[in-house]
Amino acid sequence: MVQSDDPLIGVIEAGGTWVRVGVGRTWQQVRDAPHDAIATGEPAETLRATCALLRRLAGSESLAGVGVASFGPLDLARGVIGPSTPKLAWRGVDWRAELASRLGDVALGVDTDTDAAALAEARWGAGLGRSVVAYLTVGTGIGGGLVVDGRVVHGRGHPEMGHMRVPREPGDHFAGSCEAHGDCLEGLASGAAIAARYAGASADSLGPAHRVWSLEAGYLASAVSNVLSVAAAQVVILGGGVMGASGLLGRVRATLVERVHGYLDFAGSPGELSEVPQAPGLKGRAGLVGAFALARAALSDGVDEPGRTLGAGG
Ligand SMILES: [Zn+2]
């Protein structure tokens, strides 16, 4: 239930092409309200336009907190975009300093777009009610986050599940498209890898009978199997544009059951195991809703409010 005394929160989801911006008092408002987007250009102009848009959406009110779900890699302790991002102009951009200089005294929560989406899906989406939830986004690149008991797992930094190694599918001789590794998961199964394999073809231009989908199902099933083996996740949510391909989730599920081969006792029956990979519950809004969760956590000085944020009621 929306309460007028809930603080107004600004949300930013910064991707390689668009920066999406919204405001809301509850996660449901952020999910449901129309949001605005501006093109991701040079950092100075993009950040200026982003903050101007936030102020316009807030109207006469002041924002109590702002959450940022940013493309990475990201130095989580400082909120700084890392040196290995392919977006050269954005290397070293300091989200906290940039937003503080433009917006003044607001609580800031910053994490990767993947971690934010994982958090939102775990709390309010397809992972609701589960304690160990993994989220993989399969788009131009591949990223992954892990949420345990309502918190995103950070160790030395944020996980880089897109760069896990997976065994090659039989007969696949594609070198792989990852600049660092060649044939890691991202190099074999991302949207960029599909385009590199098939001369610029986009995932949705290749028909459902195309060989690419059996390769995708194989690589993604291996990835889900790896995540299960490492984290015993109850749900592995598969999002991102590539997963929009008709029938792909079903093929991943069937292939996963073959790959696990009856071994993971905790996964249950083949039918239960096939339910581990799930479509996102928040659709394309997980990043923005996750940014809301980051801001609320920052407002609480890093202390979550489980009674408010973990329940379905928000
Ligand atoms: Zn890689």
Side-chain angles (χ1 to χ4, degrees):
M1 178 176 157
V2 178
Q3 297 176 3
S4 59
D5 58 349
D6 281 325
L8 190 65
I9 299 293
V11 292
I12 298 170
E13 182 183 16
T17 309
W18 296 101
V19 179
R20 301 200 292 166
V21 179
V23 300
R25 299 183 192 281
T26 64
W27 70 268
Q28 294 99 329
Q29 284 185 347
V30 171
R31 177 192 61 190
D32 298 336
H35 59 270
D36 284 312
I38 53 178
T40 306
E42 288 300 301
E45 171 56 21
T46 304
L47 291 162
R48 186 202 63 74
T50 297
C51 292
L53 183 52
L54 266 181
R55 279 195 296 266
R56 183 165 67 74
L57 292 173
S60 60
E61 290 195 59
S62 53
L63 293 166
V66 174
V68 181
S70 172
F71 62 82
L74 204 60
D75 177 330
L76 294 170
R78 298 187 299 137
V80 173
I81 295 176
S84 59
T85 181
K87 298 166 189 59
L88 303 183
W90 285 79
R91 289 179 179 175
V93 165
D94 183 334
W95 277 110
R96 292 181 183 281
E98 295 286 352
L99 296 183
S101 73
R102 290 173 169 84
L103 298 173
D105 183 25
V106 294
L108 292 174
V110 183
D111 206 326
T112 66
D113 45 3
T114 306
D115 274 353
L119 183 61
E121 285 290 340
R123 289 187 175 179
W124 300 306
L128 181 66
R130 310 297 188 130
S131 58
V132 181
V133 176
Y135 173 87
L136 282 171
T137 178
V138 189
T140 305
I142 298 180
L146 181 67
V147 178
V148 177
D149 294 336
R151 292 178 179 277
V152 181
V153 171
H154 290 157
R156 296 177 71 98
H158 53 81
E160 290 281 7
M161 294 190 201
H163 298 271
M164 72 171 83
R165 303 295 183 158
V166 289
R168 274 187 176 272
E169 294 297 306
D172 183 15
H173 303 295
F174 175 58
S177 65
C178 175
E179 287 189 15
H181 312 120
D183 60 354
C184 64
L185 177 65
E186 179 172 289
L188 290 169
S190 63
I194 292 172
R197 275 179 195 279
Y198 300 111
S202 64
D204 50 10
S205 69
L206 301 169
H210 197 283
R211 167 172 159 74
V212 69
W213 302 118
S214 64
L215 291 174
E216 286 294 312
Y219 289 126
L220 295 174
S222 288
V224 172
S225 175
N226 288 348
V227 171
L228 270 179
S229 301
V230 169
Q234 290 147 316
V235 181
V236 181
I237 298 159
L238 298 174
V242 173
M243 290 309 302
S246 175
L248 179 56
L249 179 61
R251 294 181 75 157
V252 172
R253 287 172 159 172
T255 310
L256 174 67
V257 172
E258 292 171 15
R259 297 281 159 90
V260 169
H261 210 247
Y263 182 74
L264 299 175
D265 288 349
F266 61 73
S269 68
E272 289 166 326
L273 174 59
S274 73
E275 294 292 309
V276 167
Q278 290 282 337
L282 298 170
K283 309 288 189 292
R285 295 301 178 95
L288 286 170
V289 174
F292 176 85
L294 295 171
R296 285 301 299 252
L299 258 182
S300 307
D301 199 23
V303 179
D304 280 340
E305 305 165 87
R308 295 184 61 91
T309 58
L310 287 176

